[in-house]
Amino acid sequence: LAKTTQPISMDSYEGQEVNITCSHNNIATNDYITWYQQFPSQGPRFIIQGYKTKVTNEVASLFIPADRKSSTLSLPRVSLSDTAVYYCLVGDGANSGYSTLTFGKGTMLLVSP
Amino acid sequence: DAGVIQSPRHEVTEMGQEVTLRCKPISGHDYLFWYRQTMMRGLELLIYFNNNVPIDDSGMPEDRFSAKMPNASFSTLKIQPSEPRDSAVYFCASSLASGQGISNTEAFFGQGTRLTVV
């Protein structure tokens, strides 16, 4: 099972860029990297997904180096409403091609005024 | 689509009682997941289904837990008998797999059922 390691918590201020890095040394060839966001009392919500290099959407960017052993979620100009727990997920690389969505501990991001 | 719908949103029951949690996945999705979340253990995958068939139930904590998916639009998670340590938020999620497996698909989560066993 591909394990992920993230910082437990991070602090930031409104308007700053936040980068959360996730380590996944055992990532398998077929695995994608996915980030979810969870607010209190809600289910996790998909943010972004990538396989290699850089992916950008309307809310975030995902940077993945060539060795794919880590990834960085970048949130530009955070606001108070970005305070949440952020999870990095990779597949378990099962040869069957089907893998589970296994969540780690996540990173608690606190954005202050 | 209304998204993944779970019921009830809150459940308070006495120890020893049977509890049934319900989930309606997004129409057309072929994967369904049940998760449990607590402060101590975080988000734990209990079981997941593919095309209504249970694929991996290794996360189900004990024989007191059971899950069924009688059709593509409905799933239940049952706890019998319930215990105080089962108190948690239970989430259901669904996804539509691509040809490369579910690790590269977006899962949609319901609002969860907050279970309290007293």
Side-chain angles (χ1 to χ4, degrees), chain B residues 13 17-21 34-38 41 44-47 49 54 56-68 76-91 113 115-117:
Chain B
T13 190
Q17 295 297 307
E18 177 181 293
V19 175
T20 300
L21 311 181
W34 280 102
Y35 287 87
R36 176 174 69 176
Q37 186 171 37
T38 61
R41 303 176 69 89
E44 302 174 276
L45 177 63
L46 301 178
I47 185 171
F49 297 81
D56 185 354
D57 65 354
S58 59
M60 297 285 264
E62 301 173 29
D63 290 344
R64 299 183 297 105
F65 286 68
S66 63
K68 294 182 180 179
T76 60
L77 178 67
K78 184 178 294 185
I79 308 173
Q80 165 64 18
S82 59
E83 298 182 2
R85 58 189 168 129
D86 301 330
S87 297
V89 180
Y90 291 80
F91 288 105
T113 295
L115 173 65
T116 303
V117 183

Side-chain angles (χ1 to χ4, degrees), chain A residues 79-95:
Chain A
S79 64
L80 297 178
S81 61
D82 292 317
T83 293
V85 178
Y86 293 82
Y87 296 95
C88 164
L89 281 72
V90 298
D92 66 9
N95 292 328

Side-chain angles (χ1 to χ4, degrees), chain A:
Chain A
L1 188 67
K3 181 180 177 180
T4 60
T5 303
Q6 306 173 232
I8 294 175
S9 63
M10 295 183 68
D11 295 323
S12 183
Y13 293 96
E14 282 189 294
Q16 290 189 334
E17 178 184 80
V18 172
N19 295 308
I20 306 174
T21 297
C22 177
S23 297
H24 28 79
N25 292 319
N26 296 325
I27 188 169
T29 302
N30 293 333
D31 287 342
Y32 279 66
I33 300 156
T34 311
W35 286 79
Y36 283 80
Q37 174 192 56
Q38 185 178 25
F39 297 114
S41 302
Q42 294 186 25
R45 184 182 71 165
F46 174 92
I47 301 175
I48 196 168
Q49 184 178 77
Y51 184 80
K52 61 181 179 181
T53 63
K54 177 183 176 182
V55 179
T56 298
N57 62 23
E58 63 276 8
V59 298
S61 294
L62 179 59
F63 298 92
I64 305 168
D67 66 5
R68 305 201 326 123
K69 294 184 182 299
S70 67
S71 59
T72 298
L73 174 72
S74 181
L75 305 172
R77 297 181 298 282
V78 294
S79 64
L80 297 178
S81 61
D82 292 317
T83 293
V85 178
Y86 293 82
Y87 296 95
C88 164
L89 281 72
V90 298
D92 66 9
N95 292 328
S96 65
Y98 295 97
S99 53
T100 59
L101 296 173
T102 302
F103 287 78
K105 299 294 185 183
T107 298
M108 174 65 217
L109 173 65
L110 176 62
V111 181
S112 300

